């Protein structure tokens, strides 16, 4: 199965919950009346697109109807598709990797897929020709470093780790030093995902930043927030806490396979002002790709 097929299969529940219900509405309507518009609005909200985004889409649709650019229900689907691609389209999706090394901090609450994402990213960039290293900054959870080492071995990338309970900032320090000494292109830093309260999270991230910036003042070059698509709107509230404490530069949206809440991709951009840079559609190394709006929308709106 190629990635597009995987994405399409992964999004099948989201399609049932979102696209197919909109298609049903369109198929059962003759007119673009208030009932139709109200129903469509409900379906967008139920599809985890987010309130703000739904409003924006509905306003644009209304305008198109008033201007008679759209006159029939069956014209609504192509309109939505185009509009959503436009919403997701932007220039900020590329990773900033101009450092020597570039430091990429990976944050998020527990279980969202941080460690897996670092494994996948390491492999991706190694295949692109980068020299990659990983620092196991999650010293809190038992076996976290072991899990990372397994991923490191699979991705053929070295992992800098200390024992359980060690100071994460000390691991980060060693990681940064080693990455500089060995002329690495990218250093990925894993972090603990236990449910932080805000002040603890802030303290821990501050400390890591200080350690990193002592060696590389402009780092971290990227702070990726990992969000789990299966949690839908909860992912949005989680993200807000991180946005208040860390300078997040992009989102990795994991577990798009098998969730009905894939519409959250659209909400992330509009509600949080963040770009989804990567998506995960499975547990394997290759189930991962830069987010491409057109491909995503194509998979979301494709026929079975
Ligand atoms: N189906 C699916 N599972 C995923 C994906 N990404 C990660 N997972 C799974 O989610 C689980 C948690 O992944 P981890 O990478 O350990 O998550 P984490 O954020 O590092 O978790 P903590 O270290 O406990 O905070 C694992 O079983 C992964 O295999 C994905 O894109 N799709
Ligand atoms: Mg982890």
């Amino acid at each position: 199965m190629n990635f597009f097929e995987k994405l399409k299969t992964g999004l099948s529940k989201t399609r049932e919950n979102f696209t197919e219900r909109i298609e049903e509405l369109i198929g059962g309507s003759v007119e673009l009346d208030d009932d139709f518009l109200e129903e469509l609005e409900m379906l967008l909200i139920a599809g985890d697109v987010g309130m703000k985004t739904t409003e924006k889409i509905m306003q644009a649709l209304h305008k198109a109807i008033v201007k008679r650019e759209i006159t029939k229900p069956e014209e609504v689907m192509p309109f939505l598709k185009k509009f959503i691609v436009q919403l997701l389209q932007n220039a900020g999706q590329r990773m900033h990797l101009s450092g020597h090394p570039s430091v990429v901090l990976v944050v998020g609450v527990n279980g969202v897929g941080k460690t897996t994402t670092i494994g996948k990213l390491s492999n991706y960039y190694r295949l692109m020709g980068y020299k990659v290293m990983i620092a196991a900054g999650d010293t809190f959870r038992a076996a976290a470093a072991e899990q990372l080492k397994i991923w490191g071995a699979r991705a053929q990338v070295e992992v800098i780790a200390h024992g359980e309970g060690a100071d994460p900032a000390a691991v980060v320090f060693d990681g940064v030093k080693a990455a500089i000494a060995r002329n690495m292109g990218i250093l990925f830093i894993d972090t603990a995902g236990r449910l932080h309260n805000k002040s603890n999270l802030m303290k821990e991230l501050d400390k890591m930043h200080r350690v990193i910036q002592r060696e590389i003042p402009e780092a971290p070059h990227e702070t990726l927030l990992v969000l789990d698509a299966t949690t839908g709107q909860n992912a949005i509230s989680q993200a807000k806490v991180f946005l208040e404490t860390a300078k997040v530069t992009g989102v990795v949206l994991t577990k798009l396979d098998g969730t009905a809440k894939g519409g959250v991709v659209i909400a992330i951009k509009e509600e949080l002002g963040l770009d989804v840079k990567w998506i995960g559609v499975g547990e394997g190394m290759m189930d991962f790709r830069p987010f491409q709006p057109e491909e995503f929308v194509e998979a979301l709106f494709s026929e079975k």
Side-chain angles (χ1 to χ4, degrees), residues 108-117 120 138 141 147 190-194 254-257 280-283 287:
V109 304
N110 58 326
V112 290
K114 294 178 296 299
T115 304
T116 307
T117 293
K120 291 169 171 176
D138 178 3
R141 196 167 60 77
Q147 185 194 358
D190 197 13
T191 62
R194 65 188 179 277
T254 61
K255 310 189 196 181
L256 271 170
D257 50 311
V281 295
E283 297 183 280
D287 302 333

Side-chain angles (χ1 to χ4, degrees), residues 188-207:
F188 290 106
I189 301 177
D190 197 13
T191 62
R194 65 188 179 277
L195 277 174
H196 296 84
N197 63 45
K198 215 169 112 185
S199 80
N200 271 346
L201 175 66
M202 215 182 284
K203 257 189 243 159
E204 190 160 311
L205 289 176
D206 268 354
K207 203 167 161 194

Side-chain angles (χ1 to χ4, degrees), residues 106-115 191-196 201 224-228 231 234-235 237-239 241-242 255:
V106 177
V107 300
V109 304
N110 58 326
V112 290
K114 294 178 296 299
T115 304
T191 62
R194 65 188 179 277
L195 277 174
H196 296 84
L201 175 66
L224 297 178
L225 174 62
V226 182
L227 298 174
D228 174 344
T231 63
N234 263 343
S237 352
Q238 275 172 23
V241 176
F242 278 90
K255 310 189 196 181

